[in-house]
Amino acid sequence: MASLGELERAVMDLLWAGQEAATANTLRDRLARSSAAQGGAGHEGKELAVTTVLTVLSRLEKKGLVERERGTRPHRYQAVSSRADHTAELMHEVLGSAPDREAVLARFIGSVSEGEAATLRKLLGHL
Amino acid sequence: MASLGELERAVMDLLWAGQEAATANTLRDRLARSSAAQGGAGHEGKELAVTTVLTVLSRLEKKGLVERERGTRPHRYQAVSSRADHTAELMHEVLGSAPDREAVLARFIGSVSEGEAATLRKLLGHL
DNA sequence: GTTAGAGTTCTACGGAGCGTAGAAAACTGC
DNA sequence: GCAGTTTTCTACGCTCCGTAGAACTCTAAC
């Protein structure tokens, strides 16, 4: 249960970007604006129905990616974990399904930029 | 275009395990045996139709994961890249979609086993 | 306390991906 | 040419995702 659809990802991006919990309405507006900002041909600034956003949020909640405060009346939604955490976890998931973890890591390291290699060295030094 | 279904993954696993190119029939037999080996309740040793295996192989070919020799009459199929390569590429894909790559790497490294951390250090030393 | 409006849940449809395989076509060896 | 093998075509059911109307549930104001 890892992969997200396009809209699901867009919503998560907004939740990850904003530090505060947001309501469905807020998110709908931001979605319209950010898709307009993307501009480009064929992808106009869509105004989604609020129910659409709510459906997506519910699905994300079921997937464990989003938490909602049920107390306040316009429910407020926020990401369960940061994007970095989530992405790192995803990477572990991908890696985890391999019996040859070391070989995978070798290939992975082999195609990392020099700057990131430096970062990794620093991080590994700390252990 | 990254994720695989259950059967697709099973087929890829066989192709990655065997070093030789294999025919659809061979794969069907191996699938039956390996799913039997998995044993367990509710998951008996299924005998798939060959056409099923062929369909899956075609889809994998379209996804660029599998190559087939069309010359020989029972076509022979093999994985385009090793499992390690493929998995590493997947990891890069996951990582690539993040604007905060360094933060992700930090989290990732943070939850790697000590043995693997050592491997990584060694690999990074080489650069 | 009833009601109007905002918010939420239920239900649903269409498209895509995947497991599954029969029917039909193409090929090979005899 | 023909029979058996192999491949392609077509298709169905299922699940996931985008999308949203219909129906229900609150809350605030009267």
Side-chain angles (χ1 to χ4, degrees):
Chain A
M1 261 236 200
S3 75
L4 299 184
E6 201 174 339
L7 180 54
E8 289 177 328
R9 172 152 297 278
V11 168
M12 286 311 295
D13 277 343
L14 287 182
L15 290 178
W16 278 324
Q19 52 279 65
E20 294 290 313
T23 70
N25 261 295
T26 311
L27 289 170
R28 189 214 42 203
D29 293 345
R30 286 192 207 155
L31 279 171
R33 236 172 291 128
S34 71
S35 80
Q38 289 289 311
H43 197 254
E44 62 268 71
K46 299 201 39 167
E47 273 279 327
L48 290 174
V50 195
T51 50
T52 300
V53 179
L54 280 164
T55 303
V56 167
L57 284 167
S58 293
R59 287 176 183 164
L60 289 170
E61 192 188 20
K62 187 180 301 179
K63 292 188 194 183
L65 294 183
V66 158
E67 228 171 21
R68 90 168 84 186
E69 300 169 26
R70 281 198 146 82
T72 70
R73 185 48 179 172
H75 294 181
R76 302 179 73 75
Y77 300 80
Q78 63 191 322
V80 164
S81 52
S82 74
R83 182 193 345 234
D85 275 343
H86 176 254
T87 309
E89 206 173 307
L90 254 190
M91 285 176 66
H92 273 292
E93 242 169 71
V94 170
L95 175 60
S97 67
D100 45 359
R101 295 168 62 97
E102 311 240 325
V104 174
L105 286 175
R107 305 297 193 296
F108 177 72
I109 292 303
S111 46
V112 154
S113 80
E114 183 44 48
E116 278 163 357
T119 308
L120 286 175
R121 270 190 220 100
K122 209 176 304 174
L123 288 166
L124 285 165
H126 278 264
L127 304 184
Chain B
M1 260 233 203
S3 75
L4 299 184
E6 203 174 338
L7 180 54
E8 289 176 329
R9 173 152 297 277
V11 168
M12 285 311 296
D13 277 344
L14 287 182
L15 290 179
W16 278 324
Q19 51 277 65
E20 293 291 314
T23 70
N25 262 294
T26 310
L27 289 171
R28 189 214 42 203
D29 293 346
R30 287 193 206 156
L31 279 172
R33 236 171 290 129
S34 70
S35 81
Q38 289 288 312
H43 197 255
E44 62 268 70
K46 301 202 34 169
E47 272 279 327
L48 292 174
V50 196
T51 51
T52 299
V53 179
L54 280 165
T55 302
V56 166
L57 284 168
S58 292
R59 288 176 182 165
L60 288 171
E61 191 189 21
K62 188 181 302 179
K63 292 187 193 182
L65 294 184
V66 157
E67 231 171 20
R68 89 168 84 184
E69 299 167 28
R70 281 200 145 82
T72 70
R73 185 48 180 175
H75 293 181
R76 302 179 74 75
Y77 300 79
Q78 64 192 319
V80 163
S81 51
S82 74
R83 180 189 353 227
D85 275 344
H86 176 255
T87 308
E89 206 172 309
L90 254 189
M91 285 176 66
H92 273 293
E93 242 169 71
V94 171
L95 176 61
S97 68
D100 45 358
R101 296 167 62 99
E102 311 240 324
V104 175
L105 287 176
R107 305 295 192 298
F108 177 74
I109 291 303
S111 45
V112 153
S113 81
E114 183 44 47
E116 276 163 358
T119 309
L120 286 174
R121 268 188 223 103
K122 209 175 302 175
L123 287 166
L124 284 164
H126 279 266
L127 304 184

